[in-house]
Amino acid sequence: MSKNINYMINQINDMKWIISTATLIAVFQNCATITSPSEYPIYVKTNPSQAKAYMTCNKERILAIRITPVTFFQSPDENCSIRISKDGYINKKIDIEKKINPAFWGNYWGLIFWFPVDILSGHWRRPEYGIIEVELKKKSAINDNKK
C-alpha cells in the first residue's frame, strides 16, 4: 500500500512540475516586450540612388542622415519618418506606419499580465519594416520658378 501512495505522490509532483512549466512558458512567451526585437530594420532604396535620406523620430530629432541605398533601425516606441532629397528632384517624405505587434495578442494566453508591460514599453506596436522603394521625380522649370 505504501508503494501505491509513493507512486501517487510522485505522479502528483510530476504533474505539478509539468503544470508549472507550461504556465511559465505560456505567460512569458506572449510578452511582446520580451519576444520582439529592440529595433526593426527599414531598408530605403531610391531611384535614382545616391539621394540623401534623413530619418526623423518623434517629430524633432534627426536620428541619421545617410546616402541611399541605406538601412535605418527604428525602435518600436518611436514615431519616425524618412525624408528623401536629391538635387534636381522633388523632396519626398514617408511616415513609417505602425501596426499592432502580433506578439501583443498572445497576452490573452498570458493571463493578461503583460498587457500593461507591452503598452508602457511601446512594444504593443511595431514599425512597418522591410523595404521602402522611392521613385524620385525630377523638378520641372515651373517648380524651380516657384522658389
Side-chain angles (χ1 to χ4, degrees):
M1 176 129 163
S2 72
K3 287 183 181 182
N4 287 340
I5 292 174
N6 284 339
Y7 176 77
M8 290 174 62
I9 290 172
N10 287 337
Q11 291 294 92
I12 290 170
N13 286 336
D14 288 345
M15 288 301 288
K16 285 181 185 176
W17 185 87
I18 290 170
I19 290 171
S20 299
T21 303
T23 302
L24 286 173
I25 289 170
V27 169
F28 287 108
Q29 75 163 348
N30 299 311
C31 179
T33 305
I34 293 173
T35 62
S36 300
S38 60
E39 293 182 321
Y40 291 87
I42 300 163
Y43 180 74
V44 180
K45 181 180 176 182
T46 60
N47 185 19
S49 62
Q50 302 300 308
K52 284 186 183 176
Y54 303 81
M55 185 172 192
T56 305
C57 293
N58 300 329
K59 296 185 179 179
E60 59 191 41
R61 185 170 59 101
I62 295 179
L63 198 64
I65 302 170
R66 303 279 190 270
I67 303 297
T68 62
V70 63
T71 302
F72 290 112
F73 293 92
Q74 179 183 349
S75 73
D77 61 335
E78 294 184 312
N79 295 312
C80 298
S81 63
I82 296 174
R83 186 170 50 90
I84 310 287
S85 69
K86 185 172 175 107
D87 289 339
Y89 293 85
I90 299 171
N91 293 347
K92 192 151 193 175
K93 181 183 173 198
I94 299 127
D95 290 324
I96 299 171
E97 299 290 323
K98 287 194 174 182
K99 64 180 184 179
I100 294 178
N101 190 335
F104 178 70
W105 294 116
N107 286 312
Y108 284 112
W109 301 110
L111 307 174
I112 308 178
F113 176 77
W114 295 113
F115 274 116
V117 174
D118 287 346
I119 289 170
L120 291 172
S121 71
H123 282 266
W124 73 279
R125 295 185 313 157
R126 70 173 189 199
E128 190 66 52
Y129 62 98
I131 299 173
I132 297 174
E133 294 185 50
V134 179
E135 187 76 30
L136 296 174
K137 295 181 182 177
K138 284 193 173 197
K139 288 183 182 178
S140 66
I142 297 171
N143 287 337
D144 289 339
N145 291 335
K146 288 183 181 178
K147 288 185 175 182

